[in-house]
Amino acid sequence: MILWLKAFHVIFMVAWFAGIFYLPRLFVYHAQNQNDAVHEQFKVMERRLLYFVTPFAILTLVFGLALMWIYGSAWLKASGWLHVKLVIVTLLYVYHGYCFKLLADFKHNRNTRSHRFYRVFNEIPVLALFAIIILAVVKPF
């Protein structure tokens, strides 16, 4: 049972990350573009992508919590690496939520950020993924 939970946790995490790797890249191109018709197309693409990957974020959380429940509170208390991972994951959910705010800014033509901001913003989930995988595999604490 636990291996199935781990498998689905990883599957939904990979699907979620695919979306949050690509969405800020769309924001980069959207911020660079000056064509109104293209802006409208980006709005549709961004909205569809964010709403498509949000269920994957939720399912990642559900299966992660199920794993924590099965392993029990003793594991949670003894695993320093897990606490760090949970902080990073929490920040990643904040990042995901902030994408909704950025989406709304683009939707209402209120974006004030440059494409350079979005290029840096695009790297945050990459760094988070590196840290999460190292913590989960190496368990350095």
Side-chain angles (χ1 to χ4, degrees):
M1 174 71 163
I2 201 158
L3 293 178
W4 282 103
L5 290 175
K6 283 182 182 181
F8 282 114
H9 179 65
V10 171
I11 288 166
F12 291 120
M13 186 241 359
V14 168
W16 176 33
F17 268 89
I20 61 172
F21 283 167
Y22 188 51
L23 181 64
R25 180 57 45 189
L26 289 176
F27 290 159
V28 168
Y29 299 141
H30 194 162
Q32 280 182 315
N33 197 286
Q34 303 301 322
N35 184 316
D36 288 339
V38 175
H39 276 280
E40 293 307 311
Q41 183 62 38
F42 275 121
K43 289 176 186 180
V44 170
M45 293 169 62
E46 293 158 355
R47 179 180 46 80
R48 286 182 179 170
L49 180 60
L50 187 55
Y51 283 94
F52 180 75
V53 300
T54 296
F56 298 140
I58 293 166
L59 289 167
T60 300
L61 180 63
V62 166
F63 283 101
L65 291 173
L67 284 166
M68 288 172 45
W69 183 76
I70 285 178
Y71 278 118
S73 63
W75 180 67
L76 184 61
K77 291 175 187 172
S79 302
W81 66 270
L82 183 60
H83 294 101
V84 177
K85 177 188 170 196
L86 292 175
V87 168
I88 295 169
V89 168
T90 299
L91 293 173
L92 201 53
Y93 279 97
V94 171
Y95 178 95
H96 186 105
Y98 187 63
C99 285
F100 279 98
K101 188 255 189 245
L102 297 173
L103 182 75
D105 287 346
F106 276 116
K107 176 182 177 182
H108 299 293
N109 299 316
R110 294 187 311 236
N111 177 54
T112 58
R113 309 245 186 224
S114 72
H115 66 92
R116 286 184 201 94
F117 167 82
Y118 292 109
R119 287 183 193 280
V120 173
F121 185 72
N122 188 47
E123 301 308 320
I124 293 170
V126 174
L127 298 173
L129 181 64
F130 288 171
I132 289 167
I133 289 175
I134 289 168
L135 289 165
V137 174
V138 178
K139 297 176 178 51
F141 302 106

